């Protein structure tokens, strides 16, 4: 009996937990609880990953509809993106890019073939053009609504199928489908809630659509007057229709009353391609005045004087100041052109604009056309700032208020703050727009620095990519205040890409423009 009790007592001793140790049953429960948490976390992450993959695949697979927009057959496509925007493709003319909304969605509208019978009716009947322009908005709204519903359904369906295939569990598939519904609806809802109709005021153009501003006309007039905008829209519909049916000619531009168009060029550096581009812009944009802020040559030598002979072919007033690569001979050759005006601490009035300008105080003829080749020592810096002081005195003593002041180096612009609303410069081969430091009680002064219209000349080919050709079209209203400007950039020598970006000056009296991202150049 005692032996049996001892045996049972020994078993109980074995089963008893050691001192200071948790019972085995309790430790096993904790491990199982941790494993359950890890397993639940893993399942949640797996559901999230499958959902995101399913949403992306569903949007790419089903986010497309075809619809009629006026006489066009259009394809509307939505795709995931880092930031929201809209692209309107008009093959083969190019594209129109709009910063239209926020959220992780990108909308593409591709205008396809024209219906020949409807197009002919538009051209023959102006009333039908009016009806088409009015119905186009409804066509787009209906197409976007169908696109959103189709995208939502496709994203949820593809996610459900993918979840069933991966998990083989109806409950997890349902969770994935519900999450896909929330993500897709939230993304599309964000885009709809943050839609910015005013983005059409400042589009970016690519390809042959750089002519679009010439069709649309004055940006501020369109933005502020819906009735006139509708008239312009009718003209766009008619012109684009005719352009597709008669590709031989570009749309005809009808100037807005009182608007003065100025083409700002700089730093040609003997590139003959620059003249071809200038002539095209002058003709297609109805330019009234061309302003050149210097460095038209490289060495300022007598043989280079023949290069400026193309100025006379423009048949428009050409206002010029000398750059640091231009000699007195260069300035004299420009002055011999019948339409040229050379300013050297003087003023002139052209097309209603009073313009003051002064040449660069340096003459640094060498093969290096970059600003670093000018040797900006303290003595040179004092000279550069000094010509700004001279021109500021000339502007203040002018009998007529000066609308635009011209300097070659933007370092000369500082003393001109408050003397006039706008200063144009070049020299840096880097397009920039800024506001000069403002003194109390003075008129705000805006500084616009142009890139190289000649792509820095032959030196523009020395980098990995050719330096682009840059110029800007400035739009002045009846009061000669800058109201908008188009920055035109053409791919460097050997490249045909053309970009145009419109900027609307929000407050012309204060000279506050939309910011421009500088284009790095050599």
């Amino acid at each position: 009996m005692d032996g049996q009790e001892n045996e049972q007592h020994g078993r109980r001793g074995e089963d008893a937990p050691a001192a200071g140790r948790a019972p085995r049953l309790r430790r096993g429960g904790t491990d199982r609880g941790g494993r359950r948490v890890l397993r639940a976390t893993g399942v949640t992450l797996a559901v999230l990953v499958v959902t995101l993959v399913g949403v992306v695949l569903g949007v790419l697979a089903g986010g497309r509809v075809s619809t009629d927009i006026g006489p066009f057959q259009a394809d509307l496509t939505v795709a995931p993106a880092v930031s929201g925007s809209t692209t309107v493709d008009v093959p083969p003319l190019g594209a129109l890019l709009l910063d239209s909304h926020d959220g992780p969605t990108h909308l593409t509208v591709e205008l396809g073939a024209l219906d020949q019978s409807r197009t002919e009716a538009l051209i023959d009947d102006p009333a039908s053009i009016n009806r088409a322009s009015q119905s186009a908005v409804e066509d787009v709204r209906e197409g976007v609504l169908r696109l959103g519903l189709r995208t939502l359904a496709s994203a949820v369906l593809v996610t459900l199928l993918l979840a069933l295939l991966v998990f083989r569990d109806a409950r997890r598939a349902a969770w994935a489908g519900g999450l896909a519904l929330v993500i897709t609806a939230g993304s599309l809802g964000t885009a709809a809630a943050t839609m910015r109709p005013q983005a059409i005021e400042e589009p970016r153009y690519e390809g042959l659509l750089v002519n679009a501003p010439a069709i649309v006309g004055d940006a501020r007039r369109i933005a502020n007057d819906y009735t006139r905008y509708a008239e312009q829209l009718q003209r766009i519909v008619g012109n684009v229709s005719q352009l597709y049916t008669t590709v031989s000619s570009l749309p005809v531009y009808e100037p807005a009353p009182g608007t003065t168009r100025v083409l700002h060029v700089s730093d040609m550096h003997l590139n003959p391609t620059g003249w071809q581009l200038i002539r095209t812009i002058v003709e297609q944009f109805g330019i009234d005045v061309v302003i050149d802020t210097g460095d038209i040559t490289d060495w300022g030598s007598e043989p280079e004087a023949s290069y400026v002979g193309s100025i006379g072919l423009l048949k428009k007033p050409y206002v010029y100041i000398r750059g640091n690569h231009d000699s007195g001979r260069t300035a004299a050759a420009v002055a011999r052109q019948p339409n040229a005006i050379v300013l050297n601490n003087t003023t002139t009035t052209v097309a209603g604009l009073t313009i003051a300008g002064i040449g660069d105080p340096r003459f640094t003829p060498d093969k290096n056309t970059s600003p670093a080749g000018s040797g900006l020592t303290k003595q040179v810096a004092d000279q550069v700032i000094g010509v700004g002081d001279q021109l500021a005195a000339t502007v203040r003593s002018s009998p007529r208020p000066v609308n635009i002041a011209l300097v070659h180096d933007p370092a000369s612009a500082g003393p001109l703050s408050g003397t006039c609303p706008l200063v144009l410069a070049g020299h840096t081969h880097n397009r920039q727009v800024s506001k000069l430091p403002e003194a109390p009680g003075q008129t705000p002064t805006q500084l616009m620095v142009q890139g190289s219209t000649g792509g820095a000349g032959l030196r523009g080919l020395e980098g990995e990519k050719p330096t682009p050709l840059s110029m800007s079209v400035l739009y002045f209203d009846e009061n000669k205040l800058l109201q908008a400007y188009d920055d035109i950039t053409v791919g460097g020598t050997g490249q045909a890409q053309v970009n145009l970006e419109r900027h609307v000056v929000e407050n012309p009296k204060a000279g506050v423009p939309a910011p421009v991202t500088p284009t790095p150049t050599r």
Side-chain angles (χ1 to χ4, degrees):
M1 186 73 177
D2 292 340
Q4 185 176 2
E5 290 177 355
N6 291 334
E7 183 179 355
Q8 292 174 352
H9 177 73
R11 292 194 192 100
R12 286 195 298 271
E14 292 174 357
D15 294 338
R21 292 173 57 188
R24 291 183 180 181
L25 180 60
R26 186 178 302 169
R27 185 173 66 249
T30 302
D31 292 344
R32 286 195 295 271
R35 286 195 296 269
R36 281 197 297 269
V37 172
L38 290 176
R39 186 169 182 274
T41 303
V43 170
T44 301
L45 291 176
V47 170
L48 180 60
V49 170
V50 169
T51 300
L52 292 176
V53 173
V55 167
V56 172
L57 293 177
V59 170
L60 294 178
R64 175 185 292 269
V65 297
S66 295
T67 187
D68 291 332
I69 300 179
F72 296 95
Q73 178 68 34
D75 290 329
L76 276 62
T77 306
V78 67
V82 176
S83 59
S85 58
T86 299
T87 299
V88 182
D89 285 325
V90 191
L93 300 181
L96 176 69
L97 292 86
L98 306 173
D99 181 18
S100 57
H101 61 273
D102 298 326
T105 55
H106 178 80
L107 174 65
T108 300
V109 180
E110 183 173 351
L111 299 180
L114 283 169
D115 182 277
Q116 185 174 355
S117 59
R118 282 185 292 172
T119 302
E120 292 175 352
L122 285 176
I123 297 174
D124 295 338
D125 182 9
S128 65
I129 294 179
N130 185 32
R131 290 191 298 270
S133 64
Q134 293 173 354
S135 65
V137 176
E138 292 299 325
D139 293 339
V140 172
R141 183 180 290 113
E142 180 185 350
V144 170
L145 180 60
R146 288 197 294 116
L147 175 64
L149 294 176
R150 181 185 175 91
T151 302
L152 188 63
S154 177
V156 173
L157 178 60
V158 171
T159 302
L160 285 173
L161 293 177
L162 183 62
L164 286 173
L165 183 64
V166 172
F167 300 118
R168 302 182 183 278
D169 183 280
R171 187 174 63 177
R172 294 177 184 175
W175 275 106
L179 189 57
L181 178 63
V182 171
I183 292 174
T184 309
S187 300
L188 296 176
T190 300
T194 59
M195 187 65 64
R196 292 183 288 273
Q198 67 272 21
I200 193 67
E201 296 178 24
E202 299 189 18
R204 182 161 60 90
Y205 301 92
E206 292 183 351
L208 289 179
L209 281 182
V210 295
N211 295 290
I215 305 171
V216 174
D218 181 271
R220 183 157 298 280
R221 184 163 61 93
I222 294 172
N224 295 340
D225 194 328
Y226 180 81
T227 302
R228 294 186 178 180
Y229 175 79
E231 296 172 356
Q232 294 284 350
L233 182 58
Q234 296 173 26
R235 193 176 300 123
I236 291 175
V237 174
N239 281 327
V240 173
S241 301
Q242 294 182 49
L243 181 59
Y244 267 89
T245 54
T246 59
V247 188
S248 59
S249 62
L250 290 173
V252 177
Y253 172 65
E254 297 182 14
T259 298
T260 303
R261 291 163 180 78
V262 174
L263 177 62
H264 180 203
V265 302
S266 191
D267 296 82
M268 296 278 287
H269 290 296
L270 294 176
N271 190 341
T273 305
W275 287 124
Q276 300 173 16
L277 180 59
I278 290 174
R279 284 196 295 269
T280 300
I281 299 301
V282 166
E283 293 172 4
Q284 295 187 354
F285 282 73
I287 297 299
D288 299 299
V289 183
V290 179
I291 290 179
D292 186 340
T293 47
D295 275 0
I296 197 171
T297 61
D298 276 352
W299 294 81
S301 62
E302 187 67 33
E304 291 174 293
S306 61
Y307 175 76
V308 307
S310 295
I311 292 176
L313 301 177
L314 299 177
K315 308 297 184 183
K316 298 291 181 180
Y318 193 95
V319 182
Y320 163 87
I321 60 169
R322 188 175 54 80
N324 60 290
H325 284 265
D326 302 328
S327 66
R329 291 180 176 179
T330 304
V334 173
R336 287 195 293 269
Q337 303 304 311
N339 56 324
I341 302 170
V342 177
L343 298 179
N344 192 17
N345 201 23
T346 52
T347 63
T348 186
T349 299
V350 183
L353 291 167
T354 298
I355 306 170
I358 191 169
D360 195 282
R362 301 159 292 183
F363 178 46
T364 56
D366 53 34
K367 291 185 177 180
N368 188 351
T369 61
S370 70
S374 302
L376 192 58
T377 63
K378 182 182 184 303
Q379 181 181 2
V380 173
D382 291 339
Q383 289 179 327
V384 171
I385 297 173
V387 297
D389 288 323
Q390 295 177 41
L391 185 61
T394 299
V395 171
R396 291 190 181 97
S397 62
S398 173
R400 300 184 60 173
V402 172
N403 306 114
I404 308 172
L406 311 180
V407 292
H408 178 64
D409 192 328
S412 303
L416 292 161
S417 177
T419 64
C420 60
L422 179 63
V423 177
L424 302 182
H427 182 63
T428 65
H429 303 172
N430 186 15
R431 177 186 282 151
Q432 290 181 324
V433 176
S434 61
K435 195 174 180 181
L436 293 176
E438 183 179 347
Q442 289 185 338
T443 303
T445 300
Q446 180 178 337
L447 171 63
M448 302 184 73
V449 182
Q450 188 56 264
S452 175
T453 307
L458 295 179
R459 263 64 60 192
L461 299 175
E462 293 176 352
E464 294 182 2
K465 295 182 179 179
T467 302
L469 281 63
S470 304
M471 60 183 64
S472 299
V473 178
L474 315 180
Y475 298 89
F476 294 84
D477 62 14
E478 295 179 348
N479 297 319
K480 307 310 175 187
L481 293 175
L482 181 67
Q483 57 178 343
Y485 57 95
D486 294 334
D487 285 333
I488 301 170
T489 306
V490 180
T493 303
Q495 298 182 356
Q497 182 66 36
V498 180
N499 292 317
L500 183 147
E501 189 169 359
R502 166 157 291 182
H503 301 267
V504 177
V505 178
E506 297 175 2
N507 185 358
K509 291 184 178 180
V512 181
V516 176
T517 302
T519 303
T521 58
R522 183 178 173 82

